[in-house]
Amino acid sequence: MKILNFTKPYRLKDFKFSLLIFVIALTSLGVMVIGSAKHSVQGRQIIGFVIGLSALIVVSMIDYVWILNLQWILYGLTIAMLLAVRFFGKDVNGATRWIDFGFTTFQPSELAKIFLVLFFAKYIMNHEDEMKKPLTIIKAVVLLMIPCFLIYKQPDLSTTISILLVFCVMMYVGGLSYKFIGVVLLITVPTCIILLSVIVHSDVDILQGYQETRILAWLQPEKYSSDEAYQQNNSIMAIGSGRLTGKGLNNNTTTSVKNGNFILEPQTDFIFAIVGEELGFVGCCIVIGLLLLIVIQCLRIGMRAPDIGGRILCCGIASQIGIQSFINISVATGLFPNTGIPLPFVSYGMSSLVSMFIGIGLVLNVGLQQKKYK
């Protein structure tokens, strides 16, 4: 039966061990930094590391073409998971993003990022010759808006934005018309400027209260230094205080921003601040360098994919890692408003870690089936 043909004979020499080594190195560094930031959760991250690595190995052996053929099942699972959060989710600090299984919690939006990359890789593959037609674009946008709306209502604006950006990159690589991209930019850029102006200079409620406050705190950090801008300001101070080589992991110095509890939940969204303070400029460069190498490796594998589906898949995973990393580090350094999105392979969170490992497993399978050039 065709449905059972989910694997192929592979050659070990085609396995991209360099990508796997980069991912393991970055995750191992993340485990150490998490242990320094909050030792009590380090054990769970190690468990996530083991589960993720196991999932990566299994997924890397499954034919990605077979997985892409399950596109509607994956899309249905995505909607079902997000609806489950909507009706049965666990509320934490005003956000309902997790499902509590008793022994652990699961954040479906993290796995949804990977499922949506798979779905739209197959969608673009099926409509390769129709990517410039308005109807093809409209259908894709409608299909994207359903899960994005459910994620936005959790509320989780940062994940929604990252998914939208990944979708745009995938559509561009899939052959989207330059004219269409130009029109979208002409509309989007002025709209964003007007939106920021309205938020700053009027009392109109466009975003949720905490979202508007975070934007205002980013634009006027001195005014909000004691509340909304407090954590972000301390993050910048922590990164700067690390200087060249940092204060060392698990240090007990009284001048440490982390030890003074000036950054809440440093093991998650602001993990880069801990990297900067304890490993210094060198540590920050190592983390950014490893992330960049992972993204480049994914893109290189995609360039040699045997079909457009594999190429778009690799591009989607690469852009997801790259965009998330850029947003997270920009927040930690004050370039973007404070928003909760994990740093791939580094931030604490089993859902994010395992999902990213699954994504890398998919890329590795594409690499096992790459084109052979003479």
Side-chain angles (χ1 to χ4, degrees), residues 289-363:
L290 285 171
L291 285 165
L292 182 59
L293 286 171
I294 290 170
V295 170
I296 291 173
Q297 280 287 80
C298 290
L299 292 174
R300 288 186 64 187
I301 292 172
M303 289 173 64
R304 300 189 66 175
D307 56 34
I308 188 174
R311 185 165 72 248
I312 300 298
L313 167 57
C314 292
C315 175
I317 298 299
S319 59
Q320 185 66 65
I321 295 170
I323 289 169
Q324 266 195 229
S325 301
F326 182 72
I327 294 175
N328 179 280
I329 294 173
S330 294
V331 169
T333 54
L335 296 177
F336 282 179
N338 188 1
T339 181
I341 196 166
L343 184 61
F345 307 108
V346 182
S347 291
Y348 169 71
M350 290 179 63
S351 299
S352 173
L353 185 61
V354 173
S355 297
M356 283 297 174
F357 267 89
I358 291 173
I360 295 297
L362 292 165
V363 173

Side-chain angles (χ1 to χ4, degrees), residues 200-253:
V200 173
H201 300 292
S202 76
D203 297 325
V204 178
D205 294 327
I206 298 176
L207 301 173
Q208 296 195 33
Y210 80 95
Q211 293 169 341
E212 291 188 8
T213 305
R214 285 182 176 181
I215 292 175
L216 288 171
W218 172 61
L219 294 172
Q220 304 169 349
E222 300 83 6
K223 182 178 179 180
Y224 294 85
S225 59
S226 62
D227 40 51
E228 286 297 328
Y230 179 77
Q231 186 162 230
Q232 200 165 21
N233 289 341
N234 288 331
S235 172
I236 297 170
M237 181 170 63
I239 294 171
S241 69
R243 298 189 178 182
L244 182 61
T245 58
K247 301 172 183 176
L249 292 172
N250 302 301
N251 71 80
N252 56 7
T253 176

Side-chain angles (χ1 to χ4, degrees), residues 7 10 68 76 78-79 105 119 124 131 150 152 280-281 294 313 318 329 334 336 342 351 353-354 368:
T7 188
Y10 304 117
L68 291 180
T78 300
I79 301 302
T105 56
F119 176 80
I124 293 170
M131 287 305 297
L150 292 172
Y152 173 76
F281 178 75
I294 290 170
L313 167 57
I329 294 173
F336 282 179
S351 299
L353 185 61
V354 173
L368 286 170

Side-chain angles (χ1 to χ4, degrees), residues 24 27 52 229 253 342:
I24 291 176
T27 307
T253 176

Side-chain angles (χ1 to χ4, degrees), residues 247 251-262 277:
K247 301 172 183 176
N251 71 80
N252 56 7
T253 176
T254 55
T255 59
S256 169
V257 176
K258 179 206 70 180
N259 293 337
N261 294 320
F262 296 117
E277 181 174 59

Side-chain angles (χ1 to χ4, degrees), residues 75 78-79 82-83 116 119-120 136-154 156-157 159-168 171 184:
Y75 186 79
T78 300
I79 301 302
L82 296 176
L83 285 174
L116 289 173
F119 176 80
F120 284 108
T136 302
I137 300 170
I138 291 171
K139 285 194 296 184
V141 171
V142 170
L143 288 167
L144 178 70
M145 286 300 105
I146 297 172
C148 280
F149 175 77
L150 292 172
I151 294 172
Y152 173 76
K153 295 299 290 184
Q154 291 181 359
D156 193 348
L157 180 60
T159 297
T160 305
I161 291 173
S162 74
I163 290 174
L164 287 170
L165 291 174
V166 171
F167 169 78
C168 292
M171 292 290 283
V184 171

